[in-house]
Amino acid sequence: MKTGIIILAAGESTRLGYPKQIAKYKEKTLLQLAIDAANDAKVDKRVLVLGANRDEIKKTFPGASIPNIPNQHFEKGMSSSIKVGLEYMLKFDKPDQVIIMLCDQPFVDAKILNKLIATQKKEEKGIVACAYSKTFGVPILFGKAYFKELMELKGDEGAKKIAMAHEDDMVTVTFTKGKVDIDTEEDLRDLNL
């Protein structure tokens, strides 16, 4: 099974007031932590989708470390970044499944990404999501049967909508620290305590 990872990092970080992609945790930017996790995972292809503040963000990581593409329509919401990333993957790599991850979950590492892949192989389900805080979400793996639905998402709809519609074909892996994501200065302060 060929696996691709799409890192979504195109948002405007309106609640934080500056690009969350460059916010720091343990001497690394949140985006660099996400790139490291994707690069260390046992996957065939990775792509980073950038949008708002793209030029500023690109200065903070080695461009050669991961293919990165612009989402010119990032203001249309998360769905537009999922489409841009998936289109890129399908054009060049024809993956059998993709993992969608965000750049604002500092505890996502290669271990959890590899666990999604291993769980899919073992359970043979089309969707593998992370479970935390009595819900589930990203990082989340989708088999190719769901690519068409991912491409049809609109506005700020994330991939969770698709997972909820197909819970019979979904399995979760426990990832307690998945609940930690950075949206505000307070989130960042709590993280760095």
Side-chain angles (χ1 to χ4, degrees):
M1 291 279 269
K2 269 178 85 172
T3 306
I5 287 185
I6 301 168
I7 304 175
L8 305 180
E12 294 178 88
S13 311
T14 44
R15 283 184 282 172
L16 187 58
Y18 65 93
K20 68 170 78 169
Q21 297 88 333
I22 61 174
K24 291 259 175 91
Y25 175 59
K26 292 192 173 172
E27 304 305 308
K28 286 191 176 183
T29 64
L30 292 179
L31 181 56
Q32 190 61 56
L33 290 169
I35 291 169
D36 290 351
N39 282 340
D40 292 343
K42 294 175 185 144
V43 298
D44 303 282
K45 195 66 186 174
R46 303 144 188 90
V47 67
L48 165 64
V49 181
L50 295 171
N53 308 298
R54 180 170 169 247
D55 294 335
E56 185 184 349
I57 293 162
K58 278 185 89 166
K59 291 179 196 152
T60 67
F61 69 94
S65 62
I66 188 165
N68 56 88
I69 51 172
N71 174 5
Q72 309 289 3
H73 307 289
F74 64 86
E75 68 287 340
K76 289 187 176 170
M78 191 185 296
S79 65
S80 65
S81 290
I82 291 171
K83 284 180 208 171
V84 166
L86 190 54
E87 274 171 1
Y88 172 89
M89 285 270 166
L90 295 174
K91 186 173 179 183
F92 295 107
D93 302 292
K94 309 279 188 281
D96 299 299
Q97 55 193 19
V98 294
I99 293 172
I100 295 171
M101 62 181 283
L102 307 180
C103 71
D104 66 353
Q105 288 178 293
F107 296 111
V108 170
D109 57 11
K111 199 168 145 195
I112 191 68
L113 298 173
N114 290 336
K115 193 171 180 186
L116 291 173
I117 297 163
T119 302
Q120 191 291 322
K121 194 174 179 180
K122 184 176 165 229
E123 303 288 340
E124 297 185 347
K125 294 282 190 183
I127 304 169
V128 186
C130 287
Y132 41 83
S133 299
K134 296 185 179 144
T135 185
F136 64 86
V138 288
I140 186 167
L141 178 151
F142 286 93
K144 69 163 82 167
Y146 296 102
F147 290 178
K148 186 174 183 291
E149 284 182 65
L150 287 167
M151 294 297 284
E152 289 169 354
L153 288 169
K154 301 257 188 291
D156 246 341
E157 287 177 338
K160 186 173 181 177
K161 175 186 175 195
I162 296 168
M164 289 173 80
H166 301 281
E167 285 193 60
D168 55 323
D169 191 29
M170 182 181 77
V171 63
T172 60
V173 297
T174 303
F175 178 42
T176 314
K177 287 185 166 179
K179 68 177 182 219
V180 179
D181 68 359
I182 306 304
D183 288 317
T184 64
E185 196 63 62
E186 194 179 9
D187 294 340
L188 200 56
R189 241 192 346 264
D190 291 348
L191 179 67
N192 281 298
L193 283 179

